[in-house]
Amino acid sequence: LKVGIVWSGSVTFSANANFTRDSVPVSGLGLFSSTGLPTTVVPYSYRTGSTWRIDQRNMPFDGGWLGHNSVGNISMASTPLARGTGRIYLPSLPIEGVSATLEQPGRTSFNASAGRVGYFNGLDFQGFTTGRGSAVGMGAQTLLAGDPGPLATNRVDAAVQVIETRDLQQNGVSGYAQNTRSLWTAVSWQGLAPWADSLGSGFGNSPADKVGGMRIQANLARSEGRPSSAESLAPRDAASGVWVDAAWRTQLMQQGASVFYFQPSLRWGGDSLPSDLRGASWRGDISARQWQLGANVEISDSVSGRRGSSVFGNLFGRWRFDSRDAVSATLAARSGSFAAQSAQVSWEHKSDWGYTQWRTDVAHGSGQRVLRTGIDHAWSVGETQTLSTSLALEGAREQEQSTRTLIWGVLGTTPLPGSARLDLSLRGSHSAGDHDARFLSANARLSWPLGLGWSLIAQYTAARGKESLSPAVVSALTAATLSPQLFTSSNRSFMVALRYESRTGLASAPIGGAPGRGAGRVGGHVFFDQDNKPP
């Protein structure tokens, strides 16, 4: 059962409660291995529960300040620079507690959070399980130089964020509790590149998206951990990490580069940051109306020497023949202890029947070989309806064991009387070989506006088995930043949500401007007017 209430105007309030009851058998965590190919690690079981939260946004104060507050099952607040401007970002620790942010948009912000540490669980419907331990965090960000506009040149921003966790139980093991203090600070600069005189054309809201523009951000993180008690099994540790991200655009291409150094056991509160890794990467992208070409190169090594060095390269290209046909290809390779290679080739075709894509994926590495070929098609069934189908065949070999898998899927939406809408999806796979396995997932969602601000949503989801992951080879840094994907051997959920939404006031916005900004008309006299036209 899910209940949500939203009231919005210049100030927005929302309340949400989600109650679920479900028992799930033992499952596994699926994530990308060092080779980038799918794998399964230690078993993990959980029970879904419930979530609740109350949010308030855009409370105005004097001087253009705005306040944002949240209470319930939330994520800890963070500064804008910490939310990810490059390949590495700070994870947001889930808590059952409160958070507050006071900001002057584009200039300064302060935040604070506190609560009990937990984790969100469940697949389609999330519950929240409170774990052992508490967390407190504070942060600030301010404009040091330049104008507050997004395209301002020679703009400098600085930010700092601190988080401290106490009695946090690591890995769910009893007696393995630890106190951790983590610090992150960053400085960013945006402006003209040393070789440019002015900003040129481009898309985006940053000088790095314009020809001649550049943006650089330097980050420093440090964590210190100690046992929460003398009897604790947790080790003492201290680690630091430094990384710098830069992005710029020239007449030829959009480019980005990173350098990074992460000592072992680096953490952010109760979450892990990339650790025991150092290296550098570069990426570039060239695009035109008819074609696109991109490349990525990364060189990395272990700080402790426990793992060998690796070199990763990725090349992507796409060519559009006309308005109906296009081909694309992606090649990736990684050397070192976890050497692997992958390739993907696809052909896209638009016809009177709809949009079709043929795709073939090949991957090889560390005793694993995967070959998948399939076809996806979006059918032309009408403006208010959609229908898509998918079919693929996969052959895989791992540790001298071979499997052949048939993968299929159907997705569609259709309107119903009374402005209601029905969304349906069905996906499945069947593997035959040394180990037979089946996967089936069904999802049905009904959205029905009742009028006067009320709406009803009902959704049923069922899944059984484990879905095959798409084969891909990734770099060492990407593998270190990927979130694990949770699999369950069986899961069924039913949700009914009753939603009420109301709005008060009227937000006016000038043409080409943001809501609440100044607007008006130009009048008066123009002196030395050569064409004698009114203003």
Side-chain angles (χ1 to χ4, degrees), residues 7-19:
W7 180 83
S8 61
S10 59
V11 183
T12 301
F13 295 89
S14 65
N16 185 284
N18 181 18
F19 306 96

Side-chain angles (χ1 to χ4, degrees), residues 94-108:
I95 60 171
E96 184 174 71
V98 297
S99 70
T101 301
L102 181 64
E103 68 170 347
Q104 195 176 36
R107 292 183 179 272
T108 306

Side-chain angles (χ1 to χ4, degrees), residues 101-186:
T101 301
L102 181 64
E103 68 170 347
Q104 195 176 36
R107 292 183 179 272
T108 306
S109 68
F110 302 94
N111 69 77
S113 305
R116 296 185 60 189
V117 179
Y119 60 92
F120 292 99
N121 50 36
L123 296 178
D124 294 277
F125 309 110
Q126 284 191 336
F128 188 87
T129 300
T130 303
R132 178 186 174 188
S134 60
V136 177
M138 295 183 358
Q141 178 175 322
T142 187
L143 175 67
L144 297 181
D147 297 328
L151 292 176
T153 58
N154 292 325
R155 171 175 175 168
V156 180
D157 293 271
V160 62
Q161 193 79 34
V162 180
I163 182 173
E164 183 171 344
T165 59
R166 291 186 174 273
D167 300 323
L168 184 61
Q169 188 170 315
Q170 299 290 334
N171 302 324
V173 180
S174 177
Y176 189 34
Q178 196 171 32
N179 297 336
T180 302
R181 179 176 298 173
S182 302
L183 169 68
W184 167 86
T185 182

Side-chain angles (χ1 to χ4, degrees), residues 380-400:
S380 298
V381 294
E383 296 182 358
T384 59
Q385 296 174 317
T386 63
L387 177 63
S388 301
T389 56
S390 177
L391 183 65
L393 293 174
E394 178 183 282
R397 185 173 181 84
E398 180 180 2
Q399 304 299 332
E400 304 302 327

